[in-house]
Amino acid sequence: MFLIFLALACLVAINAWTIWIAATRRGVVQAYWALSGSFMGIGLMAVIGVFAFPGLLQLDPTSGEMPPAFGLGFGLVVIGLTGVAIGAAMMGLARLWRRKRAASALAAATADGADAPSGGTPLGTPIGTARDA
């Protein structure tokens, strides 16, 4: 029973993270994360409702059948988790893509000499001075 509560607590934490991402993004990304979080939240409420109020469904406990609300809730949780996994993978790939693009832009800028200091020496000091002559 402890593992069930631990799994539900982890799912609630993942759902909170998803809703936080949806709150900090804009546009289609915000709608995507909000939809994934909504699927998880509604599914979690159905699953927890079946555990918390078993007499509410009025099913025969000896039949061995899974309550339809639990099956639907679990399916929604799986859809939400799949969306979160795909979204997290896309966020990671986008971060790697931006990092690679920034590194290649920096390499191109230094190869062109755009970042070289003026005067050809560190801190832009001239090579020869009156004292050296």
Side-chain angles (χ1 to χ4, degrees):
M1 194 65 154
F2 173 74
L3 291 177
I4 291 173
F5 288 122
L6 182 65
L8 288 175
C10 289
L11 287 175
V12 168
I14 291 170
N15 192 21
W17 178 68
T18 303
I19 298 300
W20 177 78
I21 290 174
T24 59
R25 304 292 195 264
R26 295 290 176 248
V28 176
V29 176
Q30 181 182 22
Y32 174 81
W33 284 100
L35 189 65
S36 294
S38 297
F39 280 153
M40 283 185 59
I42 293 168
L44 280 171
M45 285 189 290
V47 169
I48 291 171
V50 169
F51 280 133
F53 307 108
L56 189 65
L57 297 173
Q58 298 176 358
L59 295 174
D60 184 18
T62 60
S63 69
E65 292 183 14
M66 178 174 57
F70 182 83
L72 179 65
F74 187 74
L76 287 175
V77 169
V78 168
I79 290 171
L81 277 176
T82 303
V84 168
I86 291 171
M90 293 303 293
M91 280 177 37
L93 288 174
R95 183 173 289 166
L96 287 175
W97 178 262
R98 282 192 306 266
R99 187 176 292 164
K100 180 182 175 187
R101 193 172 56 191
S104 64
L106 181 64
T110 55
D112 292 339
D115 290 339
S118 62
T121 60
L123 301 176
T125 56
I127 294 175
T129 60
R131 187 171 155 213
D132 293 336

